[in-house]
């Protein structure tokens, strides 16, 4: 009987992950059992810790989308990395910040530390969306002076953007089959005259943006994790790259754009390597 238990557990997991209610139950169970609480969560009284597999995020019944990593696993971004990238931007007062694949909302909470005009998160998973909204409600309660965030339970492929200055954030939330058409849409907005920054933490598939005739590098860095955070991240540092549209506004002599982007773990990790 004991030999059958692993097979029965796998069968039960497969059945549950194929339904919306089952995914909700599995995610709740997974997060309850998570014993590692990120220092960020302790500081802000939120829940962004843990690892959620992509089969609990992908809502399509087409299991090939899980197998092919059209949607990626959830893991929270590096706070240091996001802050460093936003600090490299000019005054953000007139910009709207969009997090595509916002998960539980960690990057939106960090962005709320800065004076953005709007904060918008797009998340495919209904369950992660609900957690993000709860986290952002707690952030608004603690910091009523900050810009409020809106979280939309939508697909990044069909998400609507404001016709305004934008900062668009990615944290390797989906594969190339989603990233490429999303970047095409953002590029079309930039061609229409919008000033747009793209921030890409862990810039896997950065070549999609690198080959654009609209976007140029603005900033790049390899940012160490805080010592207390290292248990919560796969590596001791994380790379981030920022691009900006409207090349005529860019100082092409910036020293922090002279780097290579190297794939160090195929499909999963890319690093900024300064020349």
């Amino acid at each position: 009987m004991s030999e059958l238990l692993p097979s029965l557990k796998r069968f039960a997991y497969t059945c549950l992950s194929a339904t919306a209610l089952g995914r909700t139950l599995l995610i709740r169970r997974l997060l309850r059992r998570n014993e590692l609480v990120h220092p960020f969560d302790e500081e802000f009284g939120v829940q962004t810790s843990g690892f959620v597999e992509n089969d609990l995020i992908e809502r399509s019944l087409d299991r090939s989308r899980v197998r092919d990593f059209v949607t990626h696993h959830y893991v929270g971004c590096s706070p240091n990395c996001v802050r460093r990238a936003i600090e490299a931007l000019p005054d953000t007062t007139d910009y709207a910040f969009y997090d595509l694949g916002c998960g539980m909302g960690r990057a939106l909470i960090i962005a709320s530390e800065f004076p953005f005009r709007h904060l918008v998160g797009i998340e495919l998973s209904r369950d992660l969306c609900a957690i993000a909204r709860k986290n952002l409600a707690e952030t608004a309660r603690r910091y009523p002076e900050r810009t409020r965030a809106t979280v939309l339970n939508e697909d990044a492929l069909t998400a609507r953007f404001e016709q305004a200055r934008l900062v668009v954030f990615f944290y390797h939330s989906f594969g190339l089959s989603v990233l490429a058409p999303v970047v095409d849409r953002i590029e079309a907005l930039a061609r229409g005259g919008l000033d747009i920054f793209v921030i890409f933490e862990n810039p896997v598939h950065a070549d999609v943006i690198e080959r654009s005739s609209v976007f140029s590098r603005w900033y790049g860095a390899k940012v160490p994790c805080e010592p207390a955070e290292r248990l919560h991240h796969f590596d001791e540092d994380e790379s981030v790259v920022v691009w900006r549209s409207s090349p005529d506004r860019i100082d092409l002599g910036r020293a922090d754009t002279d780097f290579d982007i190297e794939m160090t773990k195929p499909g999963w990790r890319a690093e900024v390597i300064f020349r």
Side-chain angles (χ1 to χ4, degrees):
M1 184 64 182
S2 60
E3 296 176 357
L4 291 174
L5 283 178
S7 297
L8 290 172
K9 287 181 178 179
R10 282 194 299 271
F11 177 74
Y13 181 93
T14 301
C15 292
L16 286 170
S17 64
T19 68
L21 177 58
R23 289 192 293 273
T24 297
L25 294 173
L26 287 170
I27 288 175
R28 287 178 180 175
R29 179 175 181 268
L30 184 68
L31 295 179
R32 278 199 308 269
R33 298 177 69 182
N34 177 51
E35 296 179 354
L36 282 176
V37 178
H38 197 286
F40 181 89
D41 291 4
E42 295 178 336
E43 179 179 357
F44 293 100
V46 294
Q47 180 184 32
T48 65
S49 304
F51 178 88
V52 179
E53 294 187 28
N54 69 331
D55 58 349
L56 299 181
I57 296 173
E58 176 59 61
R59 61 191 182 192
S60 170
L61 293 179
D62 182 359
R63 293 292 91 184
S64 68
R65 290 174 57 88
V66 173
R67 186 174 60 252
D68 296 339
F69 291 100
V70 174
T71 301
H72 288 169
H73 309 307
Y74 167 80
V75 63
C77 60
S78 164
N80 279 2
C81 212
V82 179
R83 289 190 181 103
R84 183 80 68 85
I86 296 176
E87 287 166 355
L89 305 179
D91 181 13
T92 59
T93 304
D94 293 330
Y95 288 81
F97 180 93
Y98 276 73
D99 181 359
L100 301 187
C102 71
M104 299 184 197
R106 186 183 290 175
L108 289 169
I109 296 169
I110 296 165
S112 75
E113 299 170 5
F114 298 85
F116 285 102
R117 188 165 59 85
H118 290 146
L119 301 170
V120 182
I122 305 297
E123 175 53 49
L124 183 66
S125 165
R126 181 186 66 179
D127 301 294
L128 297 188
C129 198
I131 296 171
R133 287 170 178 158
K134 182 178 179 181
N135 287 334
L136 289 158
E138 175 61 19
T139 302
R141 187 188 68 80
R142 291 187 175 209
Y143 307 99
E145 74 283 0
R146 293 187 183 183
T147 302
R148 299 293 181 93
T150 301
V151 177
L152 303 174
N153 185 200
E154 296 181 0
D155 191 321
L157 286 169
T158 56
R160 291 156 293 179
F161 296 95
E162 296 178 43
Q163 296 294 314
R165 292 178 170 181
L166 300 175
V167 175
V168 182
F169 175 76
F170 297 102
Y171 180 38
H172 194 35
S173 299
F174 21 72
L176 188 59
S177 63
V178 173
L179 179 66
V182 169
V183 169
D184 285 346
R185 292 182 60 220
I186 296 169
E187 190 175 49
L189 291 173
R191 289 185 189 281
L194 294 187
D195 185 16
I196 301 176
F197 286 92
V198 175
I199 300 175
F200 201 159
E201 181 180 344
N202 188 21
V204 177
H205 306 309
D207 55 302
V208 172
I209 308 172
E210 287 281 275
R211 61 175 176 251
S212 169
S213 61
V214 176
F215 288 99
S216 297
R217 290 183 184 180
W218 176 266
Y219 175 78
K222 182 183 286 188
V223 185
C225 295
E226 293 290 342
E229 297 177 351
R230 288 182 182 172
L231 286 175
H232 303 269
H233 298 279
F234 293 113
D235 298 279
E236 64 182 19
D237 54 45
E238 195 83 275
S239 291
V240 64
V241 179
V242 182
W243 294 264
R244 188 183 189 181
S245 63
S246 308
D248 57 304
R249 305 178 192 176
I250 297 177
D251 176 7
L252 295 178
R254 291 172 63 101
D256 49 16
T257 61
D258 188 21
F259 55 81
D260 296 315
I261 303 172
E262 295 186 5
M263 191 85 74
T264 53
K265 295 179 183 177
W268 291 109
R269 176 171 164 85
E271 297 183 43
V272 165
I273 308 293
F274 282 91
R275 297 167 186 154

